[in-house]
Amino acid sequence: MDALSEQMTIPRRGCDHIFFVGFLGAGKSTLARNLGRMFNRRYVDTDKMVERRRGLTVTKIFNLEGEERFRVLETQALESLEHERSLLVSCGGGIIETPRNIELIHEMGYCVYLDGDLRDSLRQIKRRDTRPDFRSPKHAARLLEHRRPLYRAAADFTVDIRRKSFTEVSYMVAELLLERGLL
């Protein structure tokens, strides 16, 4: 290892998970899947974990039990990851709404914020009916404005994804994490 690599490597945290956060349509799941394939690492999606455990879609949980109940289930899903090692974790867009979730993320690994703009998010959202916190473009704009500071505060690393393809973002994040000895 050369001197530059030693300087860039950062100490390990907890389980060495890498958590991806960002707004709706930022490509968190695609990124976790792409990096998982590139580096032969397991990847999980917190929304999918909640759906499997509860036996309902996120939308149905929101509609039948409310967002507050969903957030509790989301925290439980995160807590279950502390017994795993070196996962790539795609987090739901609102995971940063719960302070305990941010604590868990930092205890278990590192947080990468995929920072995009609303126009990119809206273009990526194919099925709005499966996005319970998406009500309208106007509501989404307010939600992003509310969440952006939370994402930034939670992030160990921020990656600007504006006007970049999923492939470009995958290579950018891979390079960032490799340089720091996290992949």
Side-chain angles (χ1 to χ4, degrees), residues 42-123:
R42 283 185 47 225
Y43 55 91
V44 296
D45 181 307
T46 58
D47 285 350
K48 298 293 182 214
M49 291 173 67
V50 168
E51 288 179 341
R52 276 193 302 277
R53 289 165 165 235
R54 188 64 190 90
L56 296 169
T57 65
V58 171
T59 301
K60 284 190 178 173
I61 296 168
F62 265 70
N63 291 339
L64 297 174
E65 300 175 13
E67 181 176 357
E68 189 174 318
R69 175 66 180 146
F70 174 77
R71 297 292 171 214
V72 169
L73 296 169
E74 188 175 56
T75 300
Q76 291 171 352
L78 271 181
E79 288 170 339
S80 74
L81 299 177
E82 63 191 353
H83 303 294
E84 303 284 339
R85 293 288 174 261
S86 300
L87 293 174
L88 300 167
V89 184
S90 169
C91 298
I95 204 157
I96 42 73
E97 297 276 355
T98 306
R100 175 68 181 137
N101 292 345
I102 297 167
E103 290 172 15
L104 287 166
I105 286 169
H106 287 147
E107 288 170 12
M108 291 188 277
Y110 292 90
C111 182
V112 176
Y113 167 38
L114 303 180
D115 185 11
D117 62 27
L118 184 60
R119 188 173 38 253
D120 290 335
S121 290
L122 295 177
R123 190 173 52 250

